[in-house]
Amino acid sequence: MKNMIKTFLVIAVFGSYNSYAEISKAEKDALIDLYTQTDGQGWNTTWDLNSPVSNWHGVTVKNDQVIKVNLFHNNLSGVLPASIGALKNLTELNLAFNQLTGVLPVEISSLENLIILKLEMNRLKGSLPENLGKMISLQELTAFNNFLSGEIPNSIGELKALRTLNLSSNNFKGAIPSSLGNLEQLESLGLFENGLQGVMPSELGNLGKLKELVLANNKLNGAIPKEVGQLASLEIFQIQNNGFDSFEDISSLKINSLLVFDFDEEKIETSPKFKDIKKYTTRMADTKFEDDTDN
């Protein structure tokens, strides 16, 4: 009888422990770091750190692992801690529309299970991590309207699952990496309003699924490569306010299939092949605040 009581007590205690120990200490510490470093007490919806993590606003726990953190438009201010890299099981990290400052910690690149990374409409500065290509599961990366600078790392071409890339309205310099041509699943590419220079890479012609190509308001020059004419799925093509001096090589582009086509009209009119091209209504891809309706 005594043995049965002991066994029952062990089971009861173990069961109680399991119901409390939702996630690992490393993951919980990382979340508390995020809370502390971004003024959690000042969030619109804050966390009760004494309650189970699964009850914390924006945190999704599955199989005792943190798989999603969605703190969209929640008045986060401060810097992202390096410990964010401890959330190894994250598939979604949405910190868009906040007041985050400082640089992106290089440790964020270790989140190899991350599918969605949304950082737009913050005050982030500095360069993108050079080892960004380690985030091999990433399908969506949006970081528009920040103060990010430096060159776009070549390793971004290793994100083979990427469908959406929007780095518009930042301070990026240098050339558009030709490695972007490796992103064969890419459907939307937004690099609007940066300081990008040089020519448009011909490798962009490899992006057969591309629907949106927004390169306006940069310092790009030279000819539009003929390979762009291969983009049969293209619906939005915005290249105005650059230094492009030749449009001859995109005569194969299916102009009639474009919903938006913005270009420097005074330059393109010099080409007889394009005398009948009309400028379609502008809709800058980087100003679509989709999260306003999604959250």
Side-chain angles (χ1 to χ4, degrees), residues 20 52 215:
Y20 176 78
L215 304 177

Side-chain angles (χ1 to χ4, degrees), residues 12-230:
V13 171
F14 182 74
S16 175
Y17 174 78
N18 264 356
S19 65
Y20 176 78
E22 291 179 312
I23 63 173
S24 70
K25 183 178 184 301
E27 286 191 319
K28 186 169 185 179
D29 286 348
L31 291 175
I32 293 175
D33 280 350
L34 177 63
Y35 176 89
T36 302
Q37 295 297 319
T38 61
D39 187 24
Q41 291 185 339
W43 292 357
N44 293 335
T45 304
T46 189
W47 290 344
D48 177 2
L49 300 184
N50 294 316
S51 69
V53 173
S54 58
N55 292 340
W56 294 3
H57 169 73
V59 177
T60 302
V61 176
K62 183 178 181 181
N63 298 327
D64 298 335
Q65 298 173 336
V66 179
I67 61 168
K68 293 182 181 181
V69 174
N70 186 342
L71 296 173
F72 166 82
H73 210 311
N74 201 37
N75 200 38
L76 278 68
S77 62
V79 300
L80 290 178
S83 57
I84 197 82
L87 300 173
K88 302 290 186 183
N89 303 294
L90 275 187
T91 59
E92 179 179 334
L93 179 59
N94 187 344
L95 303 176
F97 286 72
N98 283 292
Q99 301 176 51
L100 296 172
T101 56
V103 301
L104 282 175
V106 295
E107 290 80 4
I108 201 169
S109 296
S110 64
L111 301 179
E112 296 183 5
N113 292 307
L114 203 61
I115 296 174
I116 297 173
L117 177 57
K118 298 178 72 63
L119 301 169
E120 63 265 28
M121 300 299 293
N122 280 286
R123 301 172 184 173
L124 297 168
K125 64 180 182 179
S127 303
L128 291 176
E130 286 292 334
N131 57 351
L132 197 67
K134 292 173 59 179
M135 305 173 78
I136 54 176
S137 301
L138 209 57
Q139 295 182 16
E140 181 175 352
L141 171 55
T142 53
F144 59 83
N145 282 87
N146 278 283
F147 300 101
L148 297 169
S149 57
E151 296 187 0
I152 299 173
N154 284 320
S155 67
I156 209 164
E158 299 170 20
L159 305 177
K160 299 297 181 64
L162 206 60
R163 295 180 180 177
T164 299
L165 175 62
N166 196 334
L167 303 177
S168 298
S169 297
N170 279 288
N171 298 317
F172 289 110
K173 308 290 184 183
I176 298 175
S178 59
S179 63
L180 290 181
N182 298 328
L183 307 179
E184 296 182 357
Q185 302 303 313
L186 200 64
E187 297 177 3
S188 177
L189 175 59
L191 300 176
F192 164 80
E193 200 170 64
N194 280 286
L196 297 171
Q197 301 170 315
V199 300
M200 187 188 304
S202 60
E203 288 82 0
L204 295 184
N206 298 334
L207 308 179
K209 296 184 178 181
L210 198 64
K211 297 178 181 179
E212 298 185 6
L213 178 56
V214 184
L215 304 177
N217 293 19
N218 279 288
K219 299 178 181 179
L220 302 169
N221 54 41
I224 306 298
K226 62 180 183 299
E227 287 81 3
V228 172
Q230 303 170 7

